[in-house]
Amino acid sequence: MSLLKILVYPDPALREPSKEVERFDSELGNFIRDLWETMLAYDGVGLAATQVGKNLRVCVISWKEHRLILVNPRITGTEGEQIGEEGCLSFPGIFEKIRRPLKVRVEAVDEAGKPFSLEADGFLARALCHEIDHLDGRLMIDHLSHLKREIVRKKLLKRSKEERKKP
Ligand code: NI
């Protein structure tokens, strides 16, 4: 087991669309375990493979009693809308109000390749949209106005400069 390095915006790898998983082997299982442990270690609700520089359609979510491992997930239906605060391990310290569907239906396979589907609403629907967005190279700031996006970008650039100045 090892903790993975989380990429921070504006790392260009966060924009890479991920490839479908085709091999359900022990290498995939080990990667999913590392992704899971990394999410927990950083206190995240979710983490996508894209965020650790791995170009695979895999994401994990841990929220309340929900423990989800999603391989090759697709949103197959949405209903309604909600606006709520969202954060992301690739945007440290940034929390923004973002519009998402109120309900989603997702189809995916598990780490052994077995298909399953689920329906979720509220915060879990938000988390699913957020993580599946990552797999398509889409980020939470893409849902913000141009002006707000610029403010977030400047904040994170300033922070990364300050980080580099630290001894
Ligand atoms: Ni995120």
Side-chain angles (χ1 to χ4, degrees):
M1 210 269 303
S2 51
L3 290 186
L4 306 167
K5 185 178 179 288
I6 297 178
L7 306 179
V8 170
Y9 180 82
D11 192 305
L14 290 170
R15 289 298 187 186
E16 292 283 319
S18 300
K19 295 190 188 78
E20 294 272 314
V21 173
E22 285 169 356
R23 289 167 60 129
F24 296 86
D25 52 11
S26 60
E27 200 184 315
L28 177 70
N30 289 336
F31 170 68
I32 290 173
R33 254 178 299 286
D34 289 347
L35 191 64
W36 187 267
E37 291 305 321
T38 304
M39 169 182 66
L40 296 185
Y42 286 89
D43 252 343
V45 166
L47 190 59
T50 328
Q51 291 177 274
V52 295
K54 186 106 168 169
N55 207 229
L56 275 183
R57 293 190 73 83
V58 176
C59 61
V60 291
I61 292 174
S62 172
W63 182 67
K64 294 193 174 168
E65 74 277 20
H66 304 282
R67 307 270 178 275
L68 298 177
I69 293 170
L70 300 132
V71 179
N72 299 339
R74 285 187 307 130
I75 293 176
T76 55
T78 65
E79 214 184 295
E81 60 175 47
Q82 57 172 323
I83 296 175
E85 200 160 80
E86 221 168 287
C88 178
L89 292 176
S90 295
F91 290 81
I94 305 286
F95 296 91
E96 293 289 341
K97 286 214 167 91
I98 290 177
R99 187 189 305 268
R100 297 283 189 187
L102 181 61
K103 293 181 182 176
V104 292
R105 183 182 166 83
V106 172
E107 287 177 27
V109 299
D110 67 12
E111 59 178 296
K114 188 168 164 262
F116 67 96
S117 66
L118 70 120
E119 279 172 21
D121 59 15
F123 189 80
L124 190 59
R126 172 178 297 285
L128 284 160
C129 292
H130 179 115
E131 297 312 326
I132 295 171
D133 261 5
H134 271 303
L135 303 180
D136 294 318
R138 244 190 331 266
L139 299 169
M140 65 178 216
I141 52 162
D142 300 346
H143 299 274
L144 297 175
S145 68
H146 182 70
L147 179 66
K148 276 205 171 158
R149 205 149 59 212
E150 274 306 295
I151 294 170
V152 169
R153 203 175 64 85
K154 282 185 183 143
K155 243 189 231 175
L156 286 177
L157 282 177
K158 191 170 158 228
R159 183 165 312 154
S160 76
K161 271 183 206 147
E162 280 162 7
E163 292 284 318
R164 279 201 294 273
K165 266 186 241 156
K166 279 182 195 162

